[in-house]
Amino acid sequence: MKFSSAVFSALLVFVPLAAHSEVTTEVFCFRSYEGKPINFEFRTYYDSVAKWSGAGVKYSKSKKAIGLVHRSTEQEELVYGRPYQYTTTWVEVVDGALTGEYQMVTQGGRVDAMSYTNYKSAKKYSFENDYNVDSKPETGCQW
């Protein structure tokens, strides 16, 4: 009887994990080197079953994340036979208002460019992916 209750308890613990395992999370750490340094964590989420994706940013000096909504993804074949280049645009939503957009350019497993445009000021900021910063979905960017 003890064995079967242990197996049942183990199933209760692991079955919910299996049910939610379709969602993948990626964490990127970005730095700005123009003027005053700006650091932020960019997270993407993708649910392969629901075909849903989302994202958020959290600046290193902020306690709250900012939600992003996927606007578009464009693909381009730069060199025949090589991985496509993808340009993905995410719109920033703060208190129900669209306040800016993030644009990320990737090819293969590399992030080639990241920029943020503030809608109010029209100012554009460029960022570099900092591959030296330790990051995990559980802990985020360890600045």
Side-chain angles (χ1 to χ4, degrees):
M1 188 71 157
K2 286 184 180 182
F3 177 75
S4 63
S5 68
V7 171
F8 180 71
S9 296
L11 284 174
L12 285 176
V13 170
F14 292 112
V15 169
L17 293 176
H20 292 93
S21 66
E22 299 87 13
V23 177
T24 57
T25 303
E26 289 186 284
V27 179
F28 302 93
C29 306
F30 290 98
R31 290 186 188 272
S32 164
Y33 294 101
E34 306 165 358
K36 188 173 90 174
I38 301 170
N39 302 331
F40 71 87
E41 174 181 305
F42 186 88
R43 288 178 174 257
T44 62
Y45 305 93
Y46 181 68
D47 185 326
S48 59
V49 173
K51 304 286 189 241
W52 175 88
S53 63
V57 296
K58 184 174 179 234
Y59 286 84
S60 63
K61 299 195 185 272
S62 176
K63 293 182 191 266
K64 290 177 58 175
I66 301 168
L68 304 177
V69 177
H70 179 259
R71 171 177 277 165
S72 64
T73 299
E74 299 172 13
Q75 69 179 24
E76 182 179 5
E77 185 176 34
L78 300 177
V79 177
Y80 178 77
R82 302 284 298 164
Y84 283 92
Q85 174 178 288
Y86 293 91
T87 302
T88 306
T89 304
W90 301 87
V91 178
E92 179 180 65
V93 181
V94 177
D95 296 327
L98 306 180
T99 55
E101 72 181 33
Y102 293 81
Q103 192 170 68
M104 185 164 59
V105 178
T106 59
Q107 186 176 21
R110 290 181 39 94
V111 176
D112 293 328
M114 172 61 100
S115 64
Y116 170 73
T117 303
N118 181 294
Y119 285 166
K120 190 173 185 177
S121 68
K123 185 163 182 174
K124 186 173 183 174
Y125 301 86
S126 296
F127 298 90
E128 293 179 18
N129 191 4
D130 192 337
Y131 294 100
N132 295 318
V133 175
D134 185 35
S135 66
K136 296 179 182 88
E138 301 81 21
T139 58
C141 298
Q142 300 301 301
W143 302 105

